[in-house]
Amino acid sequence: MATKILTEHINVPGIETFDVYRKQGGYTAVEKALKTMTPEAIVEEVKKAGVRGRGGAGFPMGMKWSFLAKPEGVPRYLVCNADESEPGTFKDHYLMKNIPHLLIEGMIVSSFALGANKSFIYVRGELMYVIRILEKAIAEAKAKGFLGKNILGTGYDLELVVQPGGGAYICGEETALLESLEGKRGNPRNKPPFPAVKGLYQCPTVVNNVESIATASWIVNNGGDAYAAIGIGRSTGTKLISASGHINKPGVYEIELGVPVEDFIYADEWCGGIRTGHKFKALVAGGSSVPILPANLALTLANGDKRLMSYESLSEGGFATGTMLGSGGFIVFDETSCIVRNTWNFSRFYHHESCGQCSPCREGTGWMEKVLHRIEYGHGHQQDIDLLVDVAKKIEGNTICPLGDAAAWPVASAIRHFRDEFQWHIDNPAEATQPGAVYRGEMALV
Amino acid sequence: MEDVKPQLLKVTIDGIEVEVEPGTTILQAARKIGPEVAPPAMCYYQPLKGSGGKCRACLVRVAAGSAKDPRPMPKLVASCLTAVQDGMIVENTTNPQVLDARNGIVEFLLLNHPLDCPVCDQAGECDLQNFAFDHGKVTTRYEEDRRTFEKHDIGPYIQLHMTRCILCYRCVYTADQITEKRVHGVLGRGDASEIGTYIEKAIDNDFSGNVIDVCPVGALTDKTYRFKNRVWFTKPVDAHRDCPTCSGNVTIWYRGEEVIRVTARKNEWNEVTEFICNTCRFEKKKTSDWTIEGPTKVSRSSVISANKYRADTIKPSFGQRLAAAEYKPIHDERDTSQLTIQQLPPERFAKLPSAMEPEP
């Protein structure tokens, strides 16, 4: 049985209430951290655990914490990024809805470690019911003395605020989130300075994902070494994967990092295989912004070894033959999926969500979407494929924030691996624009 | 007590070394060397706090981060925001990747910017025109519909032609930083973003006219000057007056004897030296309102200097040198013996200056 860190008690009836959560061993990390540990010792344990940020970028969490500037007389903040809105990613939502106290416990422990007396949970505005669940849980924790002034008589104060966002994807980018939290238009900031030096209200701030923060209490209870023993290589611990698409059992699964991709797709414990009667065509492994892979490369590395669900294995070979674990938005496509239509759909999303601040992203995302729309609807030209590759190249790496890259990678990778399909749309517009029409040419289906 | 001078940092830009104070950005260091190596800037504007980093026109490659850590930076960086380190090596006009990225930026900026230079009041003073000339291509690959907007009167003196706007945010920063109330900003998102006041004719404060000066393109225009002249036909003169609101130091632009425009004075980077009030800008249009100081110094490569200097004294800009390098002379093998001046009718000789008379 695989180790469960975040979802072990998620199916216990009433786990969303303080009393049930406490009976299952909840809030012991708060007691241990506040009464027996120093903030530095907690940071050290998180560093030992080697946990990488679960929001998408995969930056080591302990290292991020240790970068936090500590000037005298200036408050420090912890901000929980719960603005999950990447197409295909829905794991934070699942966690907050079902077991809100896990996040709150993690917030208390993390805030104590970082020396923050006021922390924020920035939740996507559409999830109003989740916001109500969180607020209720915060009120319960406060009533039991785990939040507010002088927590458990240790002299540590913490105020926890739930802030609904306006519903813009860009506000999931940490600096845009801070701008939004300050009440401004959610435009990403230029970096440096990084939030660890000048973040919320120009004060040192750590921004972490829900899943990352929820992990902190387990690390405090069990130690960094125990966490690091789970997983594989530098991909330590467990990861929530939100699996969707043409699989038999879509849902959120907690896996130990290092599970083979093939097992994750086909095992009954997880996705339960490709829907009956169909074949595996392509995979988006980490949310819509990461490069798409054809089935053969999704399951195996270029050298023939099995590809694993880990940061390193998924990115093996760079973008030529690899992708990213990202936020864990695992989308499976079978042979009935039109890659051109899917790419256009992703592109449409990034065009809509570009903040419009910097010129390559503002103009480039729209341009790509329009060209893809033309190809999908039978008005593509031969030069359009290379045009898309070139436009993606000119956006990638030249923008203020990673949204430019997120818009460029799906397009560039789809053309890299499924060029024939784009070509078929251009060569056979009458056939390609029929409802449900899909390229049936030579493909490595599994 | 002796002043402690900060230790200067050495930075090399396109092979030229310069010493600058700590905290200087790559763009400022390059400007210290001169226009030959200064990256273009569409959104950065030194007097405006927080400007820069948006247009990405000033991207450069840092080939060595510093003397201590000589590793190159993995991506191109915005030179207007990146502070120099001691021993940093920067490639600007010498790096093909940088020139390619800028070529892309020109293409992106021109996707929705109309090429109406022949009727645009900014022609000749347009940063985008210069940027496109230096780094762009003559054709576009864009064939989709372009966005268009109605023209807006955003105050008694200013017209907003949003179709030309490149969303540099300079006018927003100006309104935020030099006036008391925030009256306009950016509405919408992505390529649907637009500069707007939400309520029409809302900009009425004393310094609102400065948004015209900071606009790098012809999106914000002076209603008292629109369509009155082309800038290269005008004569700029520095002048001042006792103004209770601003410094009163301006440039007035003459067409013949008539003052057709008043603007703030600008430096060689096309940035205003002092913001001026609306009274000076829009209402003082007589020579008698001003104390004339003398002709404005204008770069000889500027179109404002057109026909005012001998061609051989003009130092070509980077773009002109690029164009000259790509110029291919036509090999003319025609027999020119039949085209000599001796074959002109004798009555034409009398009109020529003596030095040009044909040899007998």
Side-chain angles (χ1 to χ4, degrees):
Chain A
M1 187 71 187
T3 311
K4 296 271 192 281
I5 288 178
L6 302 167
T7 57
E8 189 183 356
H9 305 296
I10 207 156
N11 293 323
V12 175
I15 193 72
E16 70 281 3
T17 62
F18 181 88
D19 293 336
V20 176
Y21 182 74
R22 186 88 172 114
K23 266 185 206 158
Q24 298 295 326
Y27 287 104
T28 47
V30 175
E31 288 178 318
K32 183 177 176 185
L34 268 59
K35 290 178 178 171
T36 67
M37 293 175 83
T38 61
E40 293 76 24
I42 301 173
V43 174
E44 206 47 46
E45 288 302 320
V46 172
K47 277 170 103 171
K48 264 196 238 169
V51 55
R52 295 172 64 164
R54 304 301 198 213
F59 190 79
M61 186 163 131
M63 200 182 286
K64 195 178 204 179
W65 284 15
S66 62
F67 287 157
L68 187 72
K70 292 172 181 166
E72 285 294 317
V74 175
R76 278 167 255 157
Y77 295 108
L78 170 67
V79 177
C80 172
N81 185 347
D83 192 68
E84 181 181 61
S85 46
E86 177 106 340
T89 309
F90 42 87
K91 44 129 189 149
D92 291 342
H93 169 200
Y94 170 79
L95 207 62
M96 290 188 290
K97 181 188 80 165
N98 290 311
I99 185 161
H101 285 285
L102 186 70
L103 174 62
I104 292 161
E105 184 179 7
M107 285 296 287
I108 300 167
V109 170
S110 307
S111 300
F112 176 70
L114 298 168
N117 294 109
K118 186 164 188 172
S119 297
F120 297 84
I121 306 174
Y122 184 92
V123 190
R124 191 168 176 77
E126 284 96 324
L127 305 180
M128 211 59 216
Y129 77 104
V130 173
I131 292 165
R132 291 199 186 99
I133 290 170
L134 284 173
E135 281 176 341
K136 191 178 166 206
I138 287 171
E140 280 181 316
K142 199 169 183 176
K144 300 286 182 183
F146 283 87
L147 272 175
K149 294 273 179 198
N150 193 18
I151 296 172
L152 304 178
T154 58
Y156 175 63
D157 305 334
L158 177 65
E159 190 185 345
L160 202 51
V161 178
V162 179
Q163 175 64 49
Y169 171 74
I170 190 61
C171 291
E173 196 278 336
E174 60 177 358
T175 56
L177 186 155
L178 296 176
E179 287 283 294
S180 173
L181 199 52
E182 288 179 10
K184 292 182 267 182
R185 184 183 162 91
N187 281 354
R189 295 177 184 168
N190 288 297
K191 290 185 272 190
F194 288 91
V197 180
K198 282 188 177 177
L200 188 63
Y201 309 121
Q202 299 295 302
C203 296
T205 305
V206 165
V207 182
N208 275 147
N209 179 254
V210 171
E211 190 188 341
S212 315
I213 292 174
T215 309
S217 35
W218 194 93
I219 294 171
V220 165
N221 277 333
N222 298 278
D225 289 333
Y227 189 86
I230 307 166
I232 184 168
R234 291 196 298 124
S235 300
T236 61
T238 63
K239 173 94 188 78
L240 289 180
I241 303 290
S242 33
S244 63
H246 298 141
I247 45 178
N248 285 322
K249 289 167 60 190
V252 178
Y253 299 102
E254 184 173 10
I255 57 159
E256 282 187 36
L257 286 167
V259 170
V261 173
E262 190 176 349
D263 290 3
F264 185 70
I265 295 175
Y266 292 99
D268 282 342
E269 188 184 350
W270 296 303
C271 301
I274 307 297
R275 64 175 175 161
T276 318
H278 293 280
K279 287 191 169 180
F280 179 28
K281 179 178 180 180
L283 171 71
V284 170
S288 68
S289 63
V290 308
I292 191 169
L293 285 183
N296 54 344
L297 283 175
L299 300 180
T300 53
L301 304 177
N303 65 6
D305 290 350
K306 279 190 174 182
R307 198 181 285 279
L308 310 178
M309 297 287 285
S310 75
Y311 291 94
E312 288 78 25
S313 182
L314 279 166
S315 59
E316 172 81 29
F319 288 164
T321 57
T323 180
M324 292 164 77
L325 180 60
S327 58
F330 195 86
I331 314 170
V332 177
F333 301 94
D334 69 18
E335 86 288 355
T336 62
S337 311
C338 172
I339 297 295
V340 177
R341 189 170 188 85
N342 172 62
T343 310
W344 168 58
N345 212 16
F346 283 168
S347 198
R348 202 155 60 103
F349 174 79
Y350 290 107
H351 175 206
H352 184 259
E353 297 296 340
S354 166
C355 81
Q357 202 182 185
C358 61
S359 29
C361 178
R362 181 183 65 237
E363 307 293 349
T365 50
W367 191 3
M368 286 196 301
E369 193 232 308
K370 287 168 190 169
V371 174
L372 283 162
H373 179 264
R374 251 191 313 111
I375 296 174
E376 168 63 16
Y377 284 94
H379 302 288
H381 314 311
Q382 182 54 47
Q383 63 271 28
D384 281 345
I385 300 177
D386 289 331
L387 172 69
L388 282 170
V389 173
D390 193 54
V391 173
K393 197 180 113 204
K394 285 189 165 146
I395 298 171
E396 187 188 338
N398 291 340
T399 51
I400 295 175
C401 79
L403 194 140
D405 297 347
W409 288 338
V411 177
S413 60
I415 295 174
R416 188 183 305 124
H417 298 300
F418 299 94
R419 196 180 179 104
D420 289 353
E421 199 159 334
F422 285 84
Q423 191 65 53
W424 178 74
H425 272 73
I426 290 167
D427 294 343
N428 305 285
E431 195 182 337
T433 50
Q434 293 298 315
V438 170
Y439 173 67
R440 303 273 178 187
E442 201 173 311
M443 278 188 299
L445 298 173
V446 175
Chain B
M1 198 176 145
E2 203 177 320
D3 286 344
V4 181
K5 286 186 179 174
Q7 198 186 353
L8 295 178
L9 309 174
K10 278 184 186 170
V11 53
T12 308
I13 301 170
D14 286 353
I16 304 167
E17 193 176 89
V18 62
E19 286 191 329
V20 294
E21 291 183 358
T24 307
T25 61
I26 295 171
L27 182 83
Q28 289 299 346
R31 283 184 172 186
K32 207 173 166 188
I33 297 172
E36 294 298 298
V37 296
M42 303 299 298
C43 67
Y44 174 78
Y45 204 79
Q46 196 183 7
L48 298 173
K49 200 179 157 202
S51 67
K54 293 178 177 59
C55 67
R56 317 305 281 176
C58 69
L59 290 175
V60 292
R61 176 165 159 73
V62 176
S66 67
K68 280 183 189 167
D69 183 2
R71 287 178 300 174
M73 290 188 182
K75 289 179 180 178
L76 301 182
V77 298
S79 60
C80 63
L81 296 171
T82 310
V84 298
Q85 304 281 327
D86 193 34
M88 183 183 265
I89 298 172
V90 178
E91 293 168 351
N92 178 31
T93 58
T94 55
N95 186 299
Q97 191 192 352
V98 171
L99 296 179
D100 188 47
R102 286 200 192 141
N103 174 254
I105 303 292
V106 172
E107 194 172 24
F108 287 136
L109 289 176
L110 291 178
L111 289 192
N112 282 307
H113 182 91
L115 292 181
D116 62 349
C117 311
V119 297
C120 175
D121 281 284
Q122 194 80 0
E125 295 174 305
C126 177
D127 292 351
L128 182 56
Q129 204 174 32
N130 295 337
F131 182 39
F133 182 73
D134 287 356
H135 296 281
K137 288 208 170 97
V138 292
T139 54
T140 181
R141 297 176 292 174
Y142 190 71
E143 56 183 80
E144 327 305 328
D145 289 343
R146 289 168 158 84
R147 62 176 191 179
T148 53
F149 297 87
E150 292 294 315
K151 295 184 184 74
H152 288 295
D153 286 335
I154 58 168
Y157 297 116
I158 308 164
Q159 189 164 79
L160 169 62
H161 194 171
M162 190 54 222
T163 308
R164 291 180 188 146
C165 179
I166 58 164
L167 272 300
C168 71
Y169 286 57
R170 281 181 184 176
C171 60
V172 177
Y173 285 122
T174 307
D176 276 357
Q177 291 171 25
I178 69 166
T179 64
E180 287 175 356
K181 55 181 181 180
R182 180 175 175 156
V183 284
H184 79 314
V186 178
L187 311 174
R189 204 163 58 184
D191 60 3
S193 305
E194 58 176 297
I195 299 290
T197 56
Y198 202 68
I199 305 161
E200 294 248 326
K201 298 178 181 171
I203 296 181
D204 57 0
N205 61 65
D206 271 349
F207 281 79
S208 63
N210 290 295
V211 299
I212 301 164
D213 278 345
V214 302
C215 183
V217 293
L220 289 159
T221 47
D222 177 349
K223 283 163 79 176
T224 67
Y225 172 70
R226 281 167 65 82
F227 307 126
K228 281 204 169 170
N229 215 321
R230 311 304 290 170
V231 70
W232 51 90
F233 295 137
T234 61
K235 189 173 74 174
V237 172
D238 284 351
H240 67 266
R241 64 181 277 267
D242 279 335
C243 177
T245 318
C246 69
S247 68
N249 294 323
V250 301
T251 299
I252 57 177
W253 301 75
Y254 277 101
R255 179 179 58 191
E257 299 297 310
E258 184 192 2
V259 177
I260 55 166
R261 180 168 71 146
V262 179
T263 65
R265 290 185 195 174
K266 293 191 177 184
N267 62 18
E268 65 174 316
W269 309 110
N270 208 19
E271 291 171 352
V272 299
T273 48
E274 287 166 305
F275 291 109
I276 61 166
C277 70
N278 283 1
T279 311
C280 289
R281 183 187 301 273
F282 298 118
E283 290 168 19
K284 303 296 175 186
K285 295 283 179 80
K286 288 182 193 152
T287 303
S288 58
D289 292 330
W290 299 97
T291 306
I292 306 296
E293 295 172 18
T296 302
K297 283 184 185 170
V298 175
S299 162
R300 290 187 170 188
S301 61
S302 162
V303 294
I304 301 168
S305 300
N307 307 321
K308 295 188 176 69
Y309 300 96
R310 281 170 49 202
D312 59 358
T313 60
I314 294 175
K315 201 175 170 188
S317 68
F318 172 68
Q320 285 169 324
R321 282 191 289 112
L322 261 186
E326 289 174 2
Y327 173 71
K328 292 185 179 60
I330 299 165
H331 184 58
D332 191 350
E333 289 181 329
R334 286 178 302 168
D335 178 9
T336 53
S337 61
Q338 300 301 307
L339 301 170
T340 57
I341 200 165
Q342 285 165 320
Q343 292 187 348
L344 289 171
E347 61 271 21
R348 294 282 300 277
F349 297 155
K351 293 176 185 172
L352 292 171
S354 58
M356 292 183 70
E357 279 182 21
E359 292 289 324

